[in-house]
Amino acid sequence: MCGRAGAHAGVDSTTIAPVPRDESTLDTRTHDSVVASADREPLVLALMIAWAPAEPDRVGEVALFDAGGGTRVLGRGAPASGGSERVVFHRQRPESLERTGPLESRSLSREQLRVRVEKRRLHIERIGKCPMLVDGKGVDRCSLSPGQSVLLKGQMLLHCTVRPRKLARPARAKMGSTHTFGGPDAHGIVGESPVAWDLRFQLAWAAAANEHTLFLGDSGSGKELCARAVHSVSSRAKGPFVARNAATIPAGIADAELFGNVKDYPNPGMAARPGLIGAANGGTLFLDELGELPQGLQANLLRVLDEDGEYHCLGETVARSSRFRLLGATNRGAEALKHDLAARLTLRVTVPGLNERREDIPMLVRHLMRRALVKSPDAVERFFSKSGAGGEPEPNVSAGFIEALMRRSYETNVRELRGLLWAAMSRSEGDAIERSYESASPVSDRVQEWLEHEEEDEESSQVEEPAASEPTEAEVRASLAEHDGNVQRTAAALGLSTRYVLYRLMKRYGIERP
């Protein structure tokens, strides 16, 4: 869902803003939400741009299709006079459906696809020159259900999903100016799906409520990032944010870790320390993996979580008071907590995993790749071009890799996605990420994989049209000249899957790299 907390270049706006407090609300999901708007707004089929190397800033845009809306044509540029109704893409956000301009990828025909809704599926017919592939096989017609994708070879990956026509904004949620479409918001949260926006509204509500809160979600879903977002827009934002993994607190010194100790107690020479609770006074204490804390230690937290925040520092007879807010997190569910501790964590925020928001994966890939470029430029720079919006570097990732990531079932979410990206980069030979290698496979596994691909190729050869011939030397030279030597745009214009393919052709024809 999100990367780790921290500053992000180019983000100059606040997405989450506090909302008025209503103490009657305990579960943030009972607050009006974007997802709940589906109950009021009918869901419609949609095509989302998941990959578009010629127009990367359009990833995340959607085209909405009403049942009975007739046939529409997807293609490049403005429609011909008197032509068929066009497929129109939008940037969809709460209370906003911003229409974007026509597609500009030069290798798309002006009339490339016909699209209509029939029996809750999108029926698509290729009428232009660009080959169309589903599951790697060339087809002229297909029917897509939500979760499936269609590739216009070398140009665009379109992912079928469902969306409400209008994303509702909770009546009591006050939102600031929004971040760049598809990029991280001011808190590092990435995503434009209804689920991502629902999470942002949950966090805004939790920030305003100022109650002890429990974050629920699978490992790697971004619970700490969400806790930091809540702190940063709450009334405690100017106070400290103290974070600790509760599972790492040793049982023998848990009281000292939590409540602190005076000088020379319990052993001579011990320095005085405030403990986590004292250090968080006036701010927020985040305890990750709270469910791993033994129930005997959980009981030690009960009194300090009451109204007065009263506790005893070890070695002192006079009670102290800490005005802190506890944000706990667990991947085990609230039932893993001691029942009276769970009762004191008044609010619940559920952080969705990647399996619930696959539409955000292409945007997360871009975000994680750009962070990797900052951290390890020598290793990652070759996978980037400078064709991104606003002059930002744009990662070169193959459509097949993006589609595989969107289909994958995740267990550790963003951590797993990040690991897959690094594994793929370490194994990719060209300057584009072609596929993911999770580990070096034994020879027998690789042979089996090769045999499966051979069977797929044989089956594909029986149903596909003859493959288009490769561009000639003259065509490559002309296209390079037309695009001022930009290999990314040249490869897209020639209908090649990646720049790596173009580099192979240039080497064959004796054409020097620009």
Side-chain angles (χ1 to χ4, degrees):
M1 143 117 16
C2 8
R4 296 285 296 175
H8 297 277
V11 178
D12 57 0
S13 59
T14 301
T15 299
I16 302 172
V19 296
R21 177 176 176 175
D22 181 347
E23 294 187 355
S24 64
T25 301
L26 302 182
D27 189 332
T28 57
R29 285 192 178 272
T30 64
H31 185 49
D32 293 348
S33 67
V34 175
V35 172
S37 70
D39 296 332
R40 300 183 294 276
E41 286 283 335
L43 294 176
V44 298
L45 286 167
L47 282 177
M48 187 199 83
I49 299 177
W51 177 84
E55 302 177 81
D57 56 316
R58 303 196 65 155
V59 169
E61 293 182 8
V62 292
L64 306 175
F65 298 87
D66 291 308
T71 300
R72 283 189 272 168
V73 172
L74 182 150
R76 172 176 55 85
S81 178
S84 303
E85 184 178 357
R86 303 286 278 192
V87 171
V88 177
F89 287 93
H90 299 84
R91 293 182 171 181
Q92 188 182 42
R93 282 181 164 177
E95 301 289 312
S96 171
L97 193 63
E98 177 192 350
R99 177 170 176 164
T100 53
L103 299 175
E104 297 178 355
S105 181
R106 294 189 178 185
S107 292
L108 292 179
S109 300
R110 290 197 173 273
E111 293 194 349
Q112 180 62 49
L113 301 177
R114 288 196 186 99
V115 186
R116 74 179 191 280
V117 178
E118 185 177 315
K119 296 180 179 179
R120 300 196 175 193
R121 295 168 70 92
L122 284 179
H123 290 255
I124 300 176
E125 177 185 3
R126 179 174 75 93
I127 55 177
K129 293 182 178 180
C130 185
M132 181 172 74
L133 296 91
V134 176
D135 295 331
K137 299 176 182 179
V139 296
D140 287 331
R141 295 176 181 84
C142 66
S143 293
L144 296 186
S145 297
Q148 294 182 302
S149 301
V150 61
L151 174 65
L152 296 174
K153 187 175 182 180
Q155 306 305 309
M156 189 169 291
L157 179 68
L158 297 168
H159 179 74
C160 182
T161 184
V162 291
R163 289 280 181 97
R165 266 221 161 263
K166 179 181 179 182
L167 296 185
R169 180 175 63 182
R172 290 169 287 177
K174 295 181 179 179
M175 301 294 288
S177 58
T178 53
H179 54 280
T180 301
F181 184 85
D185 65 23
H187 311 288
I189 299 172
V190 177
E192 301 292 344
S193 68
V195 176
W197 280 102
D198 179 56
L199 175 64
R200 290 186 175 106
F201 288 128
Q202 285 193 70
L203 299 180
W205 173 246
N210 199 23
E211 295 283 347
H212 300 309
T213 302
L214 181 63
F215 289 85
L216 303 168
D218 293 336
S219 177
S221 57
K223 296 185 289 296
E224 181 175 346
L225 186 67
C226 291
R228 290 181 181 273
V230 166
H231 169 77
S232 68
V233 295
S234 72
S235 60
R236 302 171 179 273
K238 294 183 179 179
F241 182 89
V242 179
R244 180 68 183 271
N245 186 323
T248 66
I249 299 177
I253 59 170
D255 285 339
E257 290 283 314
L258 290 170
F259 304 113
N261 60 272
V262 299
K263 189 176 186 303
D264 295 326
Y265 187 91
N267 300 312
M270 288 282 290
R273 54 180 174 175
L276 297 173
I277 289 170
N281 187 23
T284 302
L285 172 61
F286 174 70
L287 291 180
D288 196 7
E289 297 189 34
L290 190 56
E292 304 299 325
L293 198 65
Q295 292 211 355
L297 297 182
Q298 292 182 28
N300 294 352
L301 290 169
L302 300 182
R303 184 173 179 80
V304 75
L305 294 180
D306 288 333
E307 289 293 331
D308 296 331
E310 188 176 283
Y311 71 102
H312 280 83
C313 180
L314 297 188
E316 277 187 346
T317 58
V318 179
R320 296 187 181 188
S321 179
S322 178
R323 301 294 181 178
F324 76 104
R325 180 186 186 182
L326 176 63
L327 302 180
T330 179
N331 58 18
R332 296 175 57 188
E335 62 276 6
L337 302 181
K338 186 176 173 62
H339 72 279
D340 39 7
L341 174 59
R344 285 167 170 80
L345 295 168
T346 311
L347 300 182
R348 303 282 190 273
V349 174
T350 301
V351 182
L354 291 185
N355 294 333
E356 299 176 65
R357 47 191 296 261
R358 299 180 185 279
E359 299 165 39
D360 295 327
I361 288 175
M363 289 164 270
L364 276 165
V365 167
R366 174 196 287 166
H367 174 62
L368 293 172
M369 286 292 295
R370 284 176 175 169
R371 291 185 61 194
L373 179 63
V374 172
K375 184 178 180 180
S376 307
D378 292 341
V380 177
E381 190 172 18
R382 68 186 172 104
F383 297 111
F384 280 82
S385 65
K386 297 186 181 299
S387 59
E392 286 193 85
E394 192 66 33
N396 301 320
V397 184
S398 72
F401 186 37
I402 291 292
E403 187 172 6
L405 292 175
M406 294 180 74
R407 288 186 173 188
R408 182 183 179 85
S409 178
Y410 291 86
E411 294 183 3
T412 56
N413 297 291
V414 176
R415 291 194 190 100
E416 186 175 340
L417 178 62
R418 183 172 176 270
L420 290 169
L421 285 172
W422 278 104
M425 286 188 284
S426 72
R427 298 284 179 165
S428 294
E429 296 181 357
D431 59 357
I433 303 177
E434 294 290 341
R435 58 166 297 171
S436 172
Y437 290 84
E438 297 180 45
S439 61
S441 300
V443 173
S444 58
D445 288 348
R446 290 202 297 268
V447 170
Q448 180 62 34
E449 183 180 273
W450 179 81
L451 290 172
E452 290 172 354
H453 283 303
E454 285 293 294
E455 292 172 358
E456 290 173 0
D457 291 342
E458 290 176 6
E459 182 180 353
S460 176
S461 66
Q462 297 174 9
V463 298
E464 289 185 11
E465 296 179 353
S469 59
E470 290 184 335
T472 64
E473 179 181 351
E475 290 172 335
V476 172
R477 290 185 181 277
S479 189
L480 281 168
E482 180 183 356
H483 296 93
D484 299 321
N486 186 301
V487 292
Q488 181 73 15
R489 293 201 296 268
T490 299
L494 293 171
L496 304 177
S497 58
T498 68
R499 293 193 300 171
Y500 186 49
V501 178
L502 177 59
Y503 283 139
R504 289 205 306 266
L505 290 173
M506 292 168 65
K507 183 177 181 180
R508 181 191 304 170
Y509 297 142
I511 303 173
E512 292 185 1
R513 288 194 181 192

